[in-house]
Amino acid sequence: MRTQFRKKRFWSRWVVPVLSVACFKYFGFHSWSGAYGLESAEALEIRRVELSERLASLTERRQHLERKVMLLSDGAVEADMLDERARFLLNVAREDEVVYFN
């Protein structure tokens, strides 16, 4: 009976560890500096705060506009609202008045 022995090559025992380290580095790099990584978490938090402040201001403006529409659309327009809108749209004021527009 004849047997053949193969001599193990030096690099063959390093293939699996090298590939494992390469995969670990790849995923580690992207978990640190990727689009949703640890570095970008602070930028996302700053953006969230900015957007929540903008949402608050827009909500306040919307509520203000809804109050104005409610005063105009309840069927009986209040006299001062009608007077304010007419003066604003027609650019009419008396000589003794000072008018401030928002």
Side-chain angles (χ1 to χ4, degrees):
M1 182 183 320
R2 195 172 157 188
T3 60
Q4 248 183 344
F5 291 102
R6 284 182 159 195
K7 183 179 177 183
K8 286 192 173 185
R9 295 187 176 145
F10 174 73
W11 59 271
S12 65
R13 74 179 101 177
W14 292 99
V15 171
V16 172
V18 167
L19 288 177
S20 299
V21 168
C23 287
F24 178 73
K25 284 187 176 187
Y26 174 79
F27 288 112
F29 173 77
H30 287 289
S31 68
W32 182 263
S33 64
Y36 298 102
L38 297 174
E39 284 183 349
S40 65
E42 184 177 340
L44 287 174
E45 180 64 24
I46 292 170
R47 178 86 171 132
R48 186 193 65 80
V49 169
E50 290 173 356
L51 289 177
S52 60
E53 290 172 356
R54 184 169 180 230
L55 175 65
S57 69
L58 289 175
T59 303
E60 181 181 332
R61 183 167 184 250
R62 179 181 174 156
Q63 290 172 351
H64 175 72
L65 290 174
E66 284 177 351
R67 283 192 301 267
K68 286 182 95 171
V69 167
M70 186 180 70
L71 289 174
L72 289 173
S73 66
D74 67 350
V77 178
E78 293 188 12
D80 61 337
M81 257 329 255
L82 180 62
D83 185 50
E84 175 190 342
R85 291 305 298 165
R87 287 174 188 261
F88 180 75
L89 293 174
L90 300 175
N91 198 17
V92 176
R94 291 184 292 210
E95 292 178 6
D96 62 339
E97 291 181 332
V98 177
V99 180
Y100 295 105
F101 293 111
N102 293 339

